[in-house]
Amino acid sequence: MQSNKNKSIDFKSSVFTCNKLNCSGCGACAQICSKHAIDMVEDNEGFLFPILNQEKCVQCGLCDKICPEVNSHQSNVGEYKQCFAATNKDNDYSRMSATIGACTMMAEYVLSIGGYVFGVILDEDEWKAKHRCIDNYSLLQEARNSKYIQSDTGSTYSLAKQLLNKDKTVLYIGTPCQIAGLKAFLQKEYKKLYTIDLICHGVYSYRLLQKEVDYWSCKFSRGKVSNFRFRSKEKYPWIYGGVINFDISNNKSNTHIEIHGSCSPLYRCYAYSGDGINYTLRESCYSCQFRDTNRFGDITIGDAWGMSKKRSELFQKKNLRKGISLILCNTLKGKFLLDHIDSQVNLVELSKNEAFSQDALKSSNRMIPKERYLIYNNLDNEDWGTLIEKNLHVNFDKLRTMYHIHEVKKTIKEVIEEMAEMFDRAGVLVDKAGYIKAVYERESEGPTGIGDQVAIPHGKTAAVGKTAMAVGRLDKGI
């Protein structure tokens, strides 16, 4: 390996300049080089960058020509644009997905017609995210749910091209820069290529996930962490956002853990800092040129954040738990995909201004915070949790205690309201609201637990028409 410096020709891409701000790590340059002169190599932070072997390079300039970071390539702007908020009709899709499972639905359609899907799986042996070619429903399950670490596209652009040249249908799912890289690599339109770009706030290095996994393993007596996910609706509803969840096992037991993102060092510095700053992104993400209305995917999918005030009819209790997706049809091919899952979703059309209201869809040139470098430069020098607490001025033990107390209070409230509903349906109450108020007042005086994991919430009030008792049992204790 040699340095990337090349003084004889005025090339602009990171392959030749080594400018990390001009490289998203899409890998298009390495995959298009017929001389195999470019390797994608990790830097000390764990991000992939192109390294040029000048002994193999013939200076054809093709890698520079296709680089989406330094060249203007045709996006889908102007061809078509239709925007929707979407909820699903099937609870199973919602339960297993970050939001409503729209990508999964579209991927299942492509597989059903004999096509191939390119999505991201999390390799738990290395804790790296990798793009994979998916040709069956079983492997598709591994690609579900959000992954915020940067994925390695490997040779998937080349494989997608091979399949397209054989007249196969291909669906490629990735971040906007990865879809731009794919289309630049292909250098032509393919009728049977469908692309989904995900609404992206930026990506961080897999090295942070490795630190996070070790952090939680230590918290749970060096148990083995598996089935790690970044989103869940089991404990917290969708509207709560990120939830670190995983299984922890040792010789004695296997337990599933759910922790809100604000109590996780990994999530805290990525999206829950409290000041709107993302502290751990790839450097190029801070000035991402693909955060815009000019999309490269046939369809754009993500969470419908930032619409609750203008679209309050959508943000009702059921949807707040299950999730609401934002779906942007950027081309007629995108609308074709959406039409094939129409029976599985409820769609509400949005104006373009409504749809592009969240920050992740707006062009920006953010300052790179100094804390970013303090975090990455000290990954091997300090304890992971302590490093984030020090730089972001938080206390994770206190945060987790606060969330636990909040959950207990929330669960008690839900139990009281559900049992009041049972009484009301049975004709016991003359004033349901008055009864609930009386029970709350009694609870505020002190716990009504009587031991053996049994509690008797109650109240004395004229809101009750006749004496009655309801019995309920929680799936999990509080």
Side-chain angles (χ1 to χ4, degrees), residues 317-335:
K317 185 175 182 180
K318 180 178 72 172
N319 293 336
L320 293 181
R321 171 155 288 281
K322 293 172 59 179
I324 308 169
S325 283
L326 178 62
I327 300 179
L328 313 175
C329 293
N330 306 312
T331 69
L332 292 173
K333 286 202 291 186
K335 186 59 167 60

Side-chain angles (χ1 to χ4, degrees), residues 385-410:
T386 304
L387 178 63
I388 303 307
E389 285 184 328
K390 182 177 72 174
N391 283 287
L392 269 63
H393 310 293
V394 295
N395 184 306
F396 288 117
D397 287 336
K398 287 184 179 180
L399 278 171
R400 285 190 285 274
T401 299
M402 180 188 73
Y403 263 86
H404 176 68
I405 293 171
H406 170 75
E407 276 304 300
V408 169
K409 289 182 177 180
K410 180 172 173 288

Side-chain angles (χ1 to χ4, degrees), residues 2-6 11-20 22-24 26-33 37-40 49-54 57 59 61-70:
Q2 299 184 10
S3 90
N4 293 13
K5 290 297 181 181
N6 188 314
F11 291 134
K12 298 179 180 178
S13 69
S14 177
V15 175
F16 299 97
T17 67
C18 299
N19 184 352
K20 291 186 174 182
N22 282 344
C23 180
S24 65
C26 72
C29 55
Q31 294 183 63
I32 205 164
C33 181
I38 301 172
D39 292 301
M40 298 300 292
F49 287 93
I51 297 296
L52 179 68
N53 185 326
Q54 294 204 36
C57 179
Q59 298 188 18
L62 184 57
C63 58
D64 200 74
K65 178 183 177 181
I66 68 159
C67 176
E69 288 285 343
V70 297

Side-chain angles (χ1 to χ4, degrees), residues 79-83 293-295 328-331 352 356:
E79 181 184 344
Y80 184 85
K81 186 72 72 176
Q82 199 169 9
C83 311
T293 57
N294 304 341
R295 313 301 296 184
L328 313 175
C329 293
N330 306 312
T331 69
K352 188 175 176 180
F356 284 87

Side-chain angles (χ1 to χ4, degrees), residues 422-435:
M422 292 170 62
F423 281 139
D424 197 44
R425 288 198 302 266
V428 171
L429 305 178
V430 295
D431 179 2
K432 185 172 78 169
Y435 170 73

Side-chain angles (χ1 to χ4, degrees), residues 192-467:
K192 291 190 175 182
L193 171 66
Y194 298 88
T195 55
I196 298 175
D197 70 53
L198 304 170
I199 297 176
C200 180
H201 298 266
V203 295
Y204 50 83
S205 165
Y206 78 93
R207 290 199 64 205
L208 305 192
L209 178 56
Q210 290 179 334
K211 295 293 182 181
E212 183 82 2
V213 168
D214 190 59
Y215 173 85
W216 291 113
S217 176
C218 289
K219 289 288 183 183
F220 292 96
S221 305
R222 299 306 307 179
K224 177 179 173 56
V225 173
S226 61
N227 298 319
F228 194 99
R229 299 290 183 271
F230 300 86
R231 300 283 289 273
S232 171
K233 307 185 191 89
E234 183 174 327
K235 183 175 181 179
Y236 300 100
W238 166 80
I239 195 65
Y240 275 47
V243 178
I244 291 289
N245 61 105
F246 51 87
D247 294 333
I248 191 84
S249 59
N250 51 40
N251 294 331
K252 297 180 180 179
S253 63
N254 184 70
T255 306
H256 184 68
I257 305 297
E258 303 257 340
I259 299 162
H260 188 263
S262 63
C263 303
S264 150
L266 181 68
Y267 248 127
R268 189 79 187 186
C269 53
Y270 172 62
Y272 287 93
S273 61
D275 56 14
I277 299 175
N278 308 104
Y279 285 98
T280 51
L281 304 184
R282 186 183 179 100
E283 288 174 294
S284 62
C285 292
Y286 290 97
S287 55
C288 176
Q289 60 181 296
F290 307 104
R291 285 166 54 117
D292 203 347
T293 57
N294 304 341
R295 313 301 296 184
F296 282 82
D298 294 303
I299 199 162
T300 298
I301 297 178
D303 293 292
W305 302 129
M307 295 184 190
S308 57
K309 292 183 179 179
K310 291 185 177 180
R311 290 286 183 168
S312 58
E313 74 279 7
L314 280 170
F315 287 75
Q316 301 303 312
K317 185 175 182 180
K318 180 178 72 172
N319 293 336
L320 293 181
R321 171 155 288 281
K322 293 172 59 179
I324 308 169
S325 283
L326 178 62
I327 300 179
L328 313 175
C329 293
N330 306 312
T331 69
L332 292 173
K333 286 202 291 186
K335 186 59 167 60
F336 175 84
L337 277 181
L338 184 58
D339 286 345
H340 275 84
I341 69 165
D342 182 67
S343 62
Q344 298 170 278
V345 295
N346 305 300
L347 298 174
V348 176
E349 189 162 3
L350 305 170
S351 69
K352 188 175 176 180
N353 286 339
E354 286 177 307
F356 284 87
S357 60
Q358 61 174 286
D359 288 341
L361 289 167
K362 297 176 182 177
S363 58
S364 67
N365 191 4
R366 296 170 283 175
M367 292 287 292
I368 301 178
K370 67 179 187 303
E371 290 86 353
R372 180 203 179 277
Y373 298 104
L374 293 172
I375 291 170
Y376 276 106
N377 290 341
N378 289 286
L379 283 179
D380 296 323
N381 302 327
E382 297 186 44
D383 170 77
W384 173 234
T386 304
L387 178 63
I388 303 307
E389 285 184 328
K390 182 177 72 174
N391 283 287
L392 269 63
H393 310 293
V394 295
N395 184 306
F396 288 117
D397 287 336
K398 287 184 179 180
L399 278 171
R400 285 190 285 274
T401 299
M402 180 188 73
Y403 263 86
H404 176 68
I405 293 171
H406 170 75
E407 276 304 300
V408 169
K409 289 182 177 180
K410 180 172 173 288
T411 303
I412 292 172
K413 180 176 181 290
E414 290 174 347
V415 168
I416 290 172
E417 291 180 355
E418 184 174 342
M419 299 190 83
E421 181 64 27
M422 292 170 62
F423 281 139
D424 197 44
R425 288 198 302 266
V428 171
L429 305 178
V430 295
D431 179 2
K432 185 172 78 169
Y435 170 73
I436 292 174
K437 180 181 178 183
V439 176
Y440 282 164
E441 288 175 351
R442 170 61 188 86
E443 284 290 317
S444 67
E445 295 175 4
T448 54
I450 61 173
D452 295 324
Q453 299 184 9
V454 176
I456 307 178
H458 59 279
K460 187 175 182 180
T461 171
V464 178
K466 54 185 178 181
T467 302

